[in-house]
Amino acid sequence: PRVYLPPPLFYVVTFFISILLQQYISFSNVFFESELSFFIAPLFIGIGVLSIFPAIIRFLRSKNTLVTILPANSLQTKGIYTISRNPMYLGLLFLYTGIALIKGNWWTFILIPLLIYVINQLVIIKEERYLERAFGQEYLDYKLKVRRWI
């Protein structure tokens, strides 16, 4: 796939950039001290975990690799992969959002569109091109049925 950096690294780096930005250009964190924030943070984290773990289990059961620089052994199209073509990246986004609610930093939310753009351009599109080459029509048919994110 030619994705040389581990995709979770993009989420972590973006998160740390948001913390740095908050040091220099801060916004009020009153919302993050609200009951709503305390309620929805674990909800986002839970959805993230419920997206990531079934995807990892599918990969392990099919003896596929989670390492993005290695070739795929099989195309994942069942289970959580009937909902999203990228449940791990979607789950990481939910985790990122939940942690942002706990940390209380608006910059983390402001950077979400940039994070999604970077993941799409530097990871997902490369992986999709690879999967088209590796699995041909089977992958093209799958793309028609299941959306990239959700």
Side-chain angles (χ1 to χ4, degrees), residues 2-16:
R2 298 182 186 168
V3 176
Y4 300 107
L5 295 174
L9 184 62
F10 292 102
Y11 293 84
V12 172
V13 167
T14 304
F15 191 80
F16 282 117

Side-chain angles (χ1 to χ4, degrees), residues 73-89:
N73 299 327
S74 62
L75 182 62
Q76 306 302 312
T77 60
K78 294 184 170 48
I80 191 80
Y81 287 90
T82 61
I83 299 167
S84 171
R85 293 196 317 258
N86 297 285
M88 286 189 241
Y89 304 144

